Amino acid sequence: MNRVYLVASENMEAKIKEASEAVAAAGLKVATYKPAVNGAAAAAQIKADKTAVLMETIAADFLKQDFENVDLVVVEGAVGMSPVCAQAYNEALATALDSKIYSDNEDADLFCPKRLLHCPKCIARDLAEPAAERKTSQAMFRAGLLIKASKAAKRIVLPEGSEPRTVQAAVLAVERNIAVPVLVGAKSEIEATAKSVGVTLPASIEIIEPSEALAEKYVPTLVELRKSKGMTEEQARAALKDNVTLATMMLKMGEVDGLVSGAIHSTADTLRPALQIIKCAPGVKSVSSVFFMCLPGQTYVYGDCAINLNPTAEELAGIALQCDDTAKAFGLPSRVAMLSYSTINSGKGPDADLVKEATAIAKAARPDMALDGPLQYDAATTPSVGSLKAPGSAVAGKATVFVFPDLSAGNIGYKAVQRSARGTIAIGPMLQGLAKPVNDLSRGALVEDIVYTIALTAVQAQA
């Protein structure tokens, strides 16, 4: 199976027959699938706000079917529902199947109702064309992220061990088999927090209680790492009273695979020990960040939106290379747009010149990377604008990775999309360039935000 069509039609039986015959006429093997729950029963669950449960049931049943020896599956959409309910059912089913098929077989393509091909000639023509590049929808990215994290099976340390949201996230990470959480903090406090938020700590959650004896084993290594700054043993002992520093030393020593902090610590408090102890990966001069911007139909990478205030051309080029690596590590296509108020040579000024220089440096460092700039955002994302403003560009109009010229532009840009584009979620920030993965949370992070940051960190540790 490599394609799935979801049929949305009032005349369902005739439309499925027509689509199946068109596929067969193209010389391909076709199968049909009728969801076990449809019609009045499905409509009742949608009206009862149980759409997610309904779709999980259908998607799970779909994956049990034997479609191994067929080229294409035609799925029956909503039957016997009001137009409003039918639309909700079809859109939810497309998203559910998209994420499940992607997780089970990354080469499969799902055509949602909005892209349904309505006549046999259209279907035949589409089948004759090479498959279009798969767009990683929000559902696909989130599902794929959790699966990748589960396969990685990494130990992630959480130095804010008794913080309520962190405790809840750790429990969810175990329940979803995302990672093995290691909570740093007093066991009595962590257990009391768990009780106060109504969760039970699984036996697989490890609790590390800070103590002078525990800290002492890290003192020699910390002194050695910081000897150029004149650190003494007493200063090291004082530093290790901080749980973030203690957890960072655990990561340095290979006792855990990644670190997540920031629910009650500032970015500086999380990043400073990482830069001092973990340091940058070989060949990397500075740390940057990305957000995964998950629009309903596609996932983009935005960098740097959280760390570098006014990067130099060399630093901006480095951010581009890191973003390229990140996109590929998470299974996303990478076409990097170096953003500016100018497209190619349309605008003048030092800021546009800086982006132009950064683009040249990045291209020289990685000639095979799909990268172009300077590009305005519309030229980077909209094919008609891209072909007009940057004809011949391999990136214009179809960028998937966006490198902002400075922190103001990046932070404003990601928040504008996050808050204004309906249905969009931003996963991150995820730090890039460290020798081992450390990730910072917003102090306003929700429990689900922490869960996904744990997953990101686990995948980074696998790369």
Side-chain angles (χ1 to χ4, degrees), residues 154-158 179-182 256-260 454 457-458 461:
K154 296 299 182 180
R155 299 177 76 242
I156 307 301
V157 65
L158 306 167
V180 178
V182 179
V256 293
D257 302 301
L259 182 154
V260 173
I454 291 172
T457 308

Side-chain angles (χ1 to χ4, degrees), residues 97-115:
L97 290 179
D98 218 357
S99 64
K100 291 299 180 182
I101 293 168
Y102 175 73
S103 302
D104 190 60
N105 177 2
E106 294 190 12
D107 294 326
D109 288 316
L110 174 69
F111 288 81
C112 70
K114 292 179 181 177
R115 293 176 60 193

